[in-house]
Amino acid sequence: MKDLGDAKYCLGIRITRDQAEGKLWLDQQAYIEQIIQRFGMTESYPVATPADPSLRLDKYMGPRNQNEAEEMKNVPFKEFVECLSFVAQVTRPDIAFAVNAASQFSANPGRQHWEAVKKIIRYLKGTSTKKLEYSKRESSELVGFSDADWGGDPDNRRSTTGYVFTLQGGAISFNVKKAAHRCSFIL
């Protein structure tokens, strides 16, 4: 065995420390920049949000005819979503909802689904330097937040739920997922 010193990178995650301040940061800036370059979006303009709040993605936004279906076969939708999922699961809870919404259409994406995915990467382009920050001076109390939309999926009326738990000032666990059951009303 050999001591290589403090870890600087692990699985594409940069680890930065300031021992004097008692802080640690995690980010995926290099990986995000690789994604932007890999998918040819280096010239795109950054946007302020990862998703358009007025747009609800649904299955009816899929290809409407054979030409659109053929056009979408040449789009690297699944590969894009897989890359974004890794970022959302590791260091960027701020894109988790948008990635979850777009990933549901991987089997049959349409132009609007593709535009939604490109918006996420444009958001990441403008925020690639954002980091998860942990500080020993922050509260050591575990804090959790959760939310759900009641039957918000227009295709099947399922709810989307999400949560985040923080410790020492940074997120330690977060997730967004579709509820297993449809919403029902009792009259």
Side-chain angles (χ1 to χ4, degrees):
M1 245 187 197
K2 186 177 182 181
D3 183 2
L4 300 175
D6 289 343
K8 303 243 187 299
Y9 279 92
C10 181
L11 300 173
I13 305 161
R14 180 171 48 186
I15 304 163
T16 312
R17 292 185 176 136
D18 184 336
Q19 301 264 345
E21 288 291 317
K23 292 187 178 186
L24 176 123
W25 296 271
L26 302 176
D27 73 87
Q28 289 179 287
Q29 181 178 358
Y31 182 70
I32 291 168
E33 289 171 359
Q34 284 178 340
I35 295 169
I36 292 167
Q37 191 169 36
R38 175 179 170 192
F39 293 104
M41 297 201 54
T42 55
E43 300 301 317
S44 63
Y45 293 103
V47 293
T49 60
D52 182 352
S54 66
L55 177 65
R56 283 272 186 182
L57 298 176
D58 63 40
K59 65 183 178 185
Y60 301 107
M61 295 174 178
R64 293 190 179 102
N65 56 47
Q66 191 60 31
N67 288 341
E68 283 185 23
E70 288 298 318
E71 178 185 328
M72 290 308 297
K73 282 183 182 178
N74 297 325
V75 171
F77 188 88
K78 287 181 186 177
E79 294 87 352
F80 222 136
V81 170
E82 288 170 4
C83 291
L84 293 174
S85 291
F86 179 62
V87 174
Q89 291 171 3
V90 178
T91 61
R92 297 298 298 266
D94 55 333
I95 66 168
F97 180 82
V99 172
N100 176 273
S103 69
Q104 296 172 46
F105 305 99
S106 292
N108 191 30
R111 287 182 186 156
Q112 286 182 293
H113 302 128
W114 178 233
E115 291 302 319
V117 169
K118 290 195 303 187
K119 182 171 176 106
I120 298 167
I121 200 67
R122 291 174 56 210
Y123 170 75
L124 285 176
K125 183 176 182 190
T127 61
S128 65
T129 59
K130 293 218 179 263
K131 304 173 182 185
L132 289 178
E133 178 180 297
Y134 304 92
S135 172
K136 68 180 182 182
R137 290 192 172 88
E138 291 289 327
S139 170
S140 60
E141 181 181 24
L142 180 66
V143 179
F145 301 93
S146 68
D147 197 6
D149 66 348
W150 182 257
D153 187 318
D155 295 327
N156 58 24
R157 301 308 302 159
R158 289 192 175 152
S159 301
T160 301
T161 182
Y163 68 83
V164 62
F165 287 94
T166 63
L167 187 68
Q168 301 299 136
I172 59 167
S173 180
F174 43 91
N175 193 12
V176 174
K177 68 179 183 175
K178 186 78 62 174
H181 301 288
R182 294 179 186 196
C183 296
S184 59
F185 298 96
I186 300 173
L187 297 175

